């Protein structure tokens, strides 16, 4: 689902359409987070800096993204 389609679907009165859009948002958020965490690490950011930027603990972000990827 493309971003414009997601936005449009989130305004639907049909729960099936809305829930599919929510799932697409989750997938988009996860892939975007993974991309930017990797970029931050490449640029020398610490796990603490990344966690602060995401509003989570460094342990949480490291657990999620720190494995060999």
């Amino acid at each position: 689902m493309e971003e414009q389609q997601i936005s449009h679907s989130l305004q639907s009165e049909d729960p099936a359409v809305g829930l599919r859009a929510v799932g697409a948002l989750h997938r988009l958020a996860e892939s975007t987070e993974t991309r930017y965490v990797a970029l931050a690490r490449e640029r020398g950011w610490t796990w603490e800096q990344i966690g602060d930027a995401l509003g989570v603990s460094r342990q949480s972000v490291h657990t999620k993204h720190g494995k060999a990827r």
Side-chain angles (χ1 to χ4, degrees), residues 12-60:
S12 174
E13 293 295 320
D14 183 343
V17 172
L19 290 170
R20 280 193 300 271
V22 169
L25 275 174
H26 282 289
R27 291 185 296 278
L28 177 60
E30 286 296 319
S31 66
T32 302
E33 179 180 308
T34 297
R35 185 174 96 216
Y36 281 104
V37 167
L39 181 61
R41 291 296 295 163
E42 287 172 13
R43 294 188 177 177
W45 284 40
T46 66
W47 290 113
E48 184 171 8
Q49 290 172 305
I50 296 168
D52 287 346
L54 290 171
V56 300
S57 70
R58 69 176 171 79
Q59 293 90 345
S60 174

